[in-house]
Amino acid sequence: MTDVIVVGAGLAGLSAARSVQASGRSVVVVEARDRVGGRTEAGRLEDGQWIELGGQWIGPTQDRMYELVGELGLTPIPTYNDGDIVFGLCGRTGRLAGKKGAIPRLNPFAIADLAQGTLRFARLARRIDLERPWESPDAELLDGQTFRTWVRRNLRTPQGRAYFELYCEAVFSAGLSDVSLLHALFYTHSGTDMDTLMAVDRGAQQDRIDGGSLLISERMAADLDVRLSSPVRTVSQMSSGVRVTTRDGTSYDAARAIITLPPTLAGRLEYDPVLPSWRDQLTQKLPAGSVFKVYAVYPTPFWREDGLNGQAGSDVGPVKVTFDNTPPGYERGILMGFIEAGDGRHWARRTPEERRAAVVESFVRYFGPRAAEPLEYVERDWMAEEFSRGCYGAHLAPGVWTSYGAALREPVGRLHWAGAECSPVWNGYMEGAVRSGEATAAEVLRLL
Amino acid sequence: MTDVIVVGAGLAGLSAARSVQASGRSVVVVEARDRVGGRTEAGRLEDGQWIELGGQWIGPTQDRMYELVGELGLTPIPTYNDGDIVFGLCGRTGRLAGKKGAIPRLNPFAIADLAQGTLRFARLARRIDLERPWESPDAELLDGQTFRTWVRRNLRTPQGRAYFELYCEAVFSAGLSDVSLLHALFYTHSGTDMDTLMAVDRGAQQDRIDGGSLLISERMAADLDVRLSSPVRTVSQMSSGVRVTTRDGTSYDAARAIITLPPTLAGRLEYDPVLPSWRDQLTQKLPAGSVFKVYAVYPTPFWREDGLNGQAGSDVGPVKVTFDNTPPGYERGILMGFIEAGDGRHWARRTPEERRAAVVESFVRYFGPRAAEPLEYVERDWMAEEFSRGCYGAHLAPGVWTSYGAALREPVGRLHWAGAECSPVWNGYMEGAVRSGEATAAEVLRLL
């Protein structure tokens, strides 16, 4: 019998457990996978070089992450950002200075349209109540429409609309039709603003962790009692506490439980008594995004010779967003990209060989014929992962925030919820996961 | 080892099993509940009178249901429909002839608005491809917006908008924000048209089954091997067949399986190998509606004396839709109503006593002070049901049909899918469930 059982050893679960343990209470973490880290994951190239198959970035205002990285003896390293971005919208491709706030080189109408559209969006986003988005001004109106409806009404040029679509896919790995306008505004405000979410320089992609982001979870887990390969199946509440049982029949008893699974997966556990309807129906309405993370490795980061920073943004897939993921000191060149939303779903039905060819074709389009022959190709299909079933995180369709938002963090008896999806600030990011884990741990500690 | 295992003993599962058995193949049905019928359920009043706690109606063009009812030796009885409907929108309440196509008595602007709005909606609905809604003309555009967005743009009067909102809640037990326009159009076309879906006379509520709708399932089950109280937990596919295992560890081996659970619940089973991402993510995106079915019983059906048929339609809840559910020959009067969508969620958080008081208040508003003192009150909260987790059925948010529609009926190896949600015709109704069960059984029989 421990004080707290934490379900899930991702960043939320581990940071929650760390808080509980720091307060002198006992805690056990049960994790379905044979590793910690959740949606962060380590990979290795054939030559042993570390790469990251999942979440990897931190950036300014993610204060808790920088603190935590420091506490754990880790070092932030800058994302490579010297040179121009390759930017392509509506059949025109150009170069763009890789600095925050840089505006795509488009025709004057498109620039004016994009300027008014982003300003209008920013004004709306700032009005969203991050703690209670459903109580924001005009919440019903904003939550009653898709992001696509708003973009069609408020952007007049194909380029302006394409830019917002790219933004939506890049942050949600979901399409403009899938996301409520209220959710798009909330999420943008939660992560500061559009510019910050999209940028490397002073943005959400500014820094990485030397050695890979999984080190954060591994170092947190080092001092904790973490039971790996222990997928939870049932969660029972009794008057005296909680019993969590894994698929192999092992049971853990605790006074309270913190469940940190993505909501759609938390809804799949068997609860006794069954969850109240407001919680269960919430979990039916928080689907995960659709995304592959892909890597191609080259003898050198040749794009740098052309004055390019390895970043691309485009409305033509399958890879619409790329980054130079070459760590400092590594002699080869690593291009990383995402296959998101509809592209992710489409390419999930193809063979790895077909995907590799399509990814390489995207890279050639952005960085020229030298991208045609990678030494190595690596991919991670997050949709296929049994214990994630999608990434980056959950998105909310119209009507969900206003009907179910209050249920997102509300405890059910002795069951408490945490995870990147639960955070008012930097929702969906590593920062949000850690903040949520710590906030929920504090709530539980008050009740123990 | 049987030829086919069917998961779920609702109308889809039982009709599938019946088809399999009729062809001479062996079949076992496993059912989580201690009864058959799924979202149809029998109840009893204190004096023993039968009532229905779940689905209850059949109507013209539901040919398969009328045939089946005949085959099973059951008798359709008409829903009580003599007299006027009480209709209230935007603060005005009036009476309306209880005949199909009757237009609410509203001001001339509202009537004109409603006429143009329903005509426009009907024209769009007729263009939807029922087999492949995602291939309908302008599918992306229609699926990129909520039903609410369309209503706001196409209805100009508060009454016109309120009528569409009432329609949406009555057929989906979900709000205008929750439903994709494409889904609203598909579902309407699937059930003929708005008028048919709303009407008793020549509509979806025309007839009932003497003795209660559960008799259909019970009579089908009588000749089948149905294992009750057997909630399925795991579904394994091997090269030679399928193994389905229940929570108590009992296993069933079969050549193929037909899974008839609502998609959101089907997604909660443990599959080995795990479901492909296109199927898993579909199940994350088909939430169930929110609804209570409520009954109040009176010494007599007193509303009939006032020339009322017991039906009400109103934009003020908690009960916005009512029916006279008194069976022929029963001396007492039975009013039945629904608490739907946002009302359902709101009232799920209250006590049964509070709900009873609010329901009675609604009934008094529609039928006068004699409704104030029911002899008996009965309710069924379908959101709280572990093995439904909502009713009437699943609704599709924007983007879902166009991104995941093709996955709805596509088999995964030896696993086949059926249920009211899978039917092109009368989707969401008992007719759709039976058609889907039989169609999937035919598909499986071809492959055995």
Side-chain angles (χ1 to χ4, degrees):
Chain A
M1 173 91 182
T2 55
D3 292 317
V4 180
I5 181 152
V6 173
V7 179
L11 285 159
L14 294 170
S15 53
R18 205 161 166 261
S19 293
V20 171
Q21 187 161 293
S23 80
R25 297 291 193 160
S26 60
V27 57
V28 172
V29 183
V30 287
E31 164 59 42
R33 291 179 162 104
D34 59 3
R35 61 169 185 83
V36 297
R39 288 174 265 176
T40 58
E41 184 179 0
R44 292 275 170 198
L45 298 182
E46 284 163 6
D47 64 4
Q49 172 60 41
W50 63 268
I51 58 172
E52 293 145 320
L53 300 173
Q56 65 171 70
W57 286 296
I58 59 175
T61 78
Q62 298 185 354
D63 302 334
R64 191 63 199 100
M65 283 307 294
Y66 283 96
E67 271 177 27
L68 182 62
V69 163
E71 287 169 33
L72 297 171
L74 297 169
T75 313
I77 53 174
T79 303
Y80 188 80
N81 196 35
D82 294 340
D84 292 345
I85 297 170
V86 177
F87 207 87
L89 284 185
C90 303
R92 259 185 79 177
T93 302
R95 292 164 74 128
L96 169 67
K99 294 293 159 198
K100 183 170 178 181
I103 293 172
R105 223 167 287 169
L106 301 166
N107 72 56
F109 297 106
I111 289 177
D113 185 38
L114 201 48
Q116 68 81 26
T118 51
L119 183 64
R120 209 180 275 230
F121 189 76
R123 279 193 190 134
L124 281 175
R126 275 196 297 271
R127 297 165 60 206
I128 305 304
D129 179 338
L130 294 180
E131 291 286 338
R132 281 172 293 278
W134 57 94
E135 290 180 3
S136 304
D138 300 320
E140 296 278 348
L141 187 72
L142 302 173
D143 205 31
Q145 60 190 291
T146 62
F147 197 9
R148 182 177 301 284
T149 290
W150 187 88
V151 168
R152 282 180 61 89
R153 279 196 206 161
N154 289 279
L155 280 292
R156 307 294 163 83
T157 62
Q159 294 87 347
R161 292 175 177 180
Y163 183 82
F164 270 84
E165 184 151 30
L166 180 60
Y167 173 70
C168 181
E169 295 185 4
V171 303
F172 296 112
S173 50
L176 287 170
S177 300
D178 301 322
V179 178
S180 151
L181 172 60
L182 179 62
H183 185 59
L185 294 166
F186 158 78
Y187 196 86
T188 302
H189 189 197
S190 176
T192 312
D193 54 31
M194 278 178 83
D195 245 21
T196 301
L197 286 180
M198 293 288 264
V200 169
D201 174 44
R202 287 175 290 153
Q205 284 72 232
Q206 180 178 290
D207 290 317
R208 305 171 59 193
I209 310 302
D210 194 15
S213 59
L214 185 69
L215 291 173
I216 304 168
S217 291
E218 287 183 340
R219 298 220 175 154
M220 282 200 284
D223 299 325
L224 296 166
D225 181 356
V226 181
R227 312 293 171 93
L228 298 176
S229 304
S230 301
V232 168
R233 177 179 274 161
T234 65
V235 177
S236 305
Q237 292 196 66
M238 296 136 298
S239 59
S240 57
V242 180
R243 172 167 293 174
V244 166
T245 306
T246 61
R247 290 188 189 170
D248 69 3
T250 309
S251 286
Y252 300 88
D253 290 340
R256 290 185 178 265
I258 300 176
I259 298 177
T260 69
L261 310 186
T264 190
L265 298 186
R268 294 177 180 188
L269 305 181
E270 295 170 19
Y271 295 86
D272 178 21
V274 297
L275 289 179
S277 59
W278 46 266
R279 172 72 202 182
D280 188 279
Q281 290 205 332
L282 171 82
T283 70
Q284 298 179 31
K285 294 201 165 218
L286 291 170
S290 307
V291 66
F292 284 87
K293 191 176 189 181
V294 297
Y295 281 91
V297 185
Y298 300 94
T300 64
F302 60 85
W303 50 90
R304 296 181 183 178
E305 297 163 25
D306 301 327
L308 296 174
N309 63 13
Q311 294 160 42
S314 149
D315 57 355
V316 178
V319 178
K320 292 177 177 168
V321 176
T322 73
F323 291 88
D324 179 338
N325 238 4
T326 319
Y330 186 57
E331 68 281 5
R332 291 180 171 174
I334 303 179
L335 279 180
M336 184 273 284
F338 297 108
I339 310 179
E340 291 162 332
D343 294 299
R345 290 187 287 269
H346 176 80
W347 288 97
R349 295 258 198 164
R350 304 301 192 86
T351 65
E353 294 69 33
E354 288 170 323
R355 275 195 299 275
R356 178 190 164 122
V359 166
V360 166
E361 195 184 306
S362 292
F363 286 172
V364 167
R365 186 154 36 84
Y366 302 134
F367 304 109
R370 292 172 75 182
E373 299 290 348
L375 302 172
E376 195 174 344
Y377 170 78
V378 176
E379 64 175 25
R380 171 60 88 235
D381 175 359
W382 282 94
M383 297 168 277
E385 287 283 300
E386 180 177 11
F387 300 117
S388 297
R389 301 266 49 169
C391 267
Y392 312 108
H395 54 272
L396 279 70
V400 181
W401 267 122
T402 44
S403 298
Y404 295 92
L408 191 59
R409 293 191 295 269
E410 184 176 340
V412 175
R414 295 169 173 275
L415 309 181
H416 302 257
W417 316 100
E421 279 80 1
C422 297
S423 184
V425 177
W426 283 105
N427 188 288
Y429 286 76
M430 299 198 282
E431 174 81 5
V434 170
R435 283 178 184 242
S436 169
E438 294 178 342
T440 302
E443 170 188 287
V444 168
L445 288 170
R446 277 194 301 275
L447 294 166
L448 279 179
Chain B
M1 173 89 181
T2 55
D3 293 318
V4 179
I5 181 153
V6 173
V7 180
L11 285 159
L14 293 170
S15 54
R18 203 161 168 261
S19 292
V20 171
Q21 188 162 291
S23 80
R25 297 291 194 157
S26 60
V27 58
V28 172
V29 183
V30 288
E31 165 57 44
R33 291 180 163 102
D34 59 2
R35 61 170 185 83
V36 297
R39 288 173 265 176
T40 58
E41 183 178 1
R44 291 276 169 198
L45 297 182
E46 284 162 6
D47 63 4
Q49 171 60 42
W50 63 267
I51 58 170
E52 293 145 319
L53 300 172
Q56 65 171 70
W57 287 297
I58 59 175
T61 80
Q62 298 185 354
D63 302 333
R64 192 62 198 100
M65 284 308 294
Y66 283 96
E67 271 177 28
L68 182 61
V69 163
E71 286 169 35
L72 296 171
L74 297 169
T75 313
I77 52 173
T79 303
Y80 188 81
N81 196 35
D82 293 340
D84 291 345
I85 298 171
V86 177
F87 208 85
L89 285 184
C90 302
R92 259 185 79 176
T93 301
R95 292 163 74 126
L96 168 69
K99 294 293 161 197
K100 182 169 176 179
I103 293 172
R105 223 167 285 168
L106 302 166
N107 72 57
F109 297 107
I111 289 177
D113 185 38
L114 200 48
Q116 67 82 26
T118 51
L119 183 64
R120 209 181 274 229
F121 189 76
R123 279 193 191 136
L124 280 174
R126 276 197 296 272
R127 296 164 61 205
I128 304 304
D129 180 339
L130 294 180
E131 290 287 338
R132 281 172 292 279
W134 57 94
E135 290 181 3
S136 304
D138 301 320
E140 296 278 348
L141 187 71
L142 301 173
D143 205 30
Q145 60 190 290
T146 61
F147 196 9
R148 183 177 300 283
T149 291
W150 187 88
V151 168
R152 281 181 60 89
R153 279 196 205 160
N154 290 277
L155 279 293
R156 306 295 163 84
T157 61
Q159 293 87 344
R161 291 175 178 179
Y163 183 82
F164 270 84
E165 184 151 31
L166 179 61
Y167 172 70
C168 181
E169 295 185 5
V171 302
F172 297 112
S173 51
L176 287 171
S177 299
D178 301 322
V179 178
S180 150
L181 173 60
L182 179 62
H183 185 59
L185 294 165
F186 158 79
Y187 196 87
T188 302
H189 188 197
S190 175
T192 314
D193 55 30
M194 277 179 84
D195 246 21
T196 302
L197 286 180
M198 293 287 265
V200 169
D201 175 45
R202 286 175 291 152
Q205 284 73 233
Q206 180 176 290
D207 290 317
R208 305 171 60 192
I209 311 302
D210 194 14
S213 59
L214 185 70
L215 290 174
I216 304 168
S217 292
E218 287 183 341
R219 297 219 175 156
M220 282 200 284
D223 298 326
L224 296 167
D225 182 356
V226 181
R227 312 293 172 92
L228 298 177
S229 304
S230 302
V232 168
R233 177 179 274 161
T234 64
V235 178
S236 305
Q237 291 198 65
M238 297 137 295
S239 57
S240 56
V242 181
R243 172 168 293 174
V244 166
T245 306
T246 62
R247 290 188 189 169
D248 69 2
T250 309
S251 285
Y252 300 88
D253 290 339
R256 291 185 178 266
I258 300 176
I259 298 175
T260 69
L261 310 186
T264 191
L265 298 186
R268 295 177 179 187
L269 305 181
E270 295 170 18
Y271 295 87
D272 178 22
V274 296
L275 289 179
S277 59
W278 46 266
R279 172 72 202 180
D280 188 279
Q281 290 206 331
L282 171 82
T283 70
Q284 297 179 31
K285 295 200 164 218
L286 292 169
S290 307
V291 66
F292 284 86
K293 190 175 190 182
V294 297
Y295 281 91
V297 184
Y298 300 93
T300 65
F302 60 86
W303 50 91
R304 295 181 184 178
E305 298 164 25
D306 302 326
L308 297 173
N309 63 13
Q311 294 161 42
S314 150
D315 57 355
V316 178
V319 178
K320 293 177 176 167
V321 176
T322 72
F323 292 88
D324 179 339
N325 238 4
T326 318
Y330 185 57
E331 69 280 5
R332 291 182 170 173
I334 304 179
L335 279 180
M336 184 272 285
F338 297 108
I339 311 179
E340 292 164 330
D343 293 299
R345 289 187 288 270
H346 175 80
W347 288 96
R349 295 258 198 165
R350 304 302 192 88
T351 65
E353 293 69 33
E354 289 171 322
R355 275 195 299 276
R356 178 191 165 123
V359 166
V360 166
E361 195 185 305
S362 291
F363 287 173
V364 167
R365 187 154 35 84
Y366 303 136
F367 305 109
R370 293 173 73 181
E373 299 289 346
L375 301 172
E376 193 174 345
Y377 170 78
V378 177
E379 63 174 27
R380 170 60 88 232
D381 175 0
W382 283 95
M383 299 168 276
E385 287 283 300
E386 179 177 12
F387 300 116
S388 296
R389 300 264 51 168
C391 266
Y392 313 109
H395 54 271
L396 278 70
V400 180
W401 267 123
T402 44
S403 298
Y404 295 91
L408 191 60
R409 292 192 295 268
E410 186 176 338
V412 175
R414 294 168 173 277
L415 309 181
H416 302 257
W417 316 101
E421 279 81 1
C422 296
S423 184
V425 177
W426 282 104
N427 188 288
Y429 285 76
M430 298 198 282
E431 173 82 5
V434 170
R435 283 179 184 241
S436 169
E438 293 178 342
T440 302
E443 171 190 285
V444 167
L445 289 170
R446 278 194 301 276
L447 294 166
L448 278 178

